[in-house]
Amino acid sequence: MAYIQYLVFNEKPLPLPDSYDIGLSDVEADSGGETEAGTTQRDVVRTGVADISVSFSVSPKWLRLLTAYSKMPKIAVKYFDTETLELKDAEMYVTGFKAALKKDTSYKGLWTVSFTLKEM
């Protein structure tokens, strides 16, 4: 059975995530705010900026790769866009990287890795 490819980092498809949570937000200019009349004025510079929280259950090989990606200043990411239901290109960086041993095995364990991708 085929599954949806949710994330691709630098042209390398990532394994199927345990969880995938995407949020889209707007970037506003500093010139916005509240007017003298008490109404809110928004000066939106950019819409649909992605913020993706994701977690994986991975082998030691993938743990090493994901840890290396977490240290990069930026990554060319293709992510599953919920608006178009297709992969969308973006430059992102990793924040909040966490790795935890899920189960000890004879080959360095099964790991749970979670992090947040933020669009640049």
Side-chain angles (χ1 to χ4, degrees), residues 3-69:
Y3 64 89
I4 297 170
Q5 184 64 53
Y6 289 92
L7 288 168
V8 178
F9 284 6
N10 296 337
E11 301 300 323
K12 183 167 185 67
L14 269 58
L16 184 65
D18 294 336
S19 69
Y20 182 85
D21 182 25
I22 184 169
L24 300 173
S25 60
D26 297 336
V27 176
E28 297 182 21
D30 292 338
S31 57
E34 195 170 306
T35 65
E36 288 180 19
T39 60
T40 302
Q41 178 177 340
R42 293 180 66 211
D43 292 331
V44 178
V45 200
R46 203 167 142 212
T47 62
V49 178
D51 187 333
I52 303 169
S53 296
V54 66
S55 69
F56 299 93
S57 294
V58 294
S59 66
K61 174 188 168 190
W62 275 105
L63 174 64
R64 186 173 35 253
L65 284 168
L66 293 173
T67 302
Y69 283 127

Side-chain angles (χ1 to χ4, degrees), residues 42-109:
R42 293 180 66 211
D43 292 331
V44 178
V45 200
R46 203 167 142 212
T47 62
V49 178
D51 187 333
I52 303 169
S53 296
V54 66
S55 69
F56 299 93
S57 294
V58 294
S59 66
K61 174 188 168 190
W62 275 105
L63 174 64
R64 186 173 35 253
L65 284 168
L66 293 173
T67 302
Y69 283 127
S70 75
K71 296 177 182 180
M72 296 176 139
K74 66 180 176 179
I75 307 166
V77 175
K78 290 182 183 180
Y79 68 92
F80 183 75
D81 183 19
T82 55
E83 185 177 1
T84 62
L85 302 180
E86 295 180 357
L87 290 179
K88 183 175 180 180
D89 293 316
E91 275 193 348
M92 302 180 117
Y93 64 94
V94 173
T95 184
F97 183 86
K98 292 180 186 178
L101 181 64
K102 187 171 185 177
K103 183 177 181 181
D104 189 14
T105 64
S106 60
Y107 187 68
K108 299 181 185 175

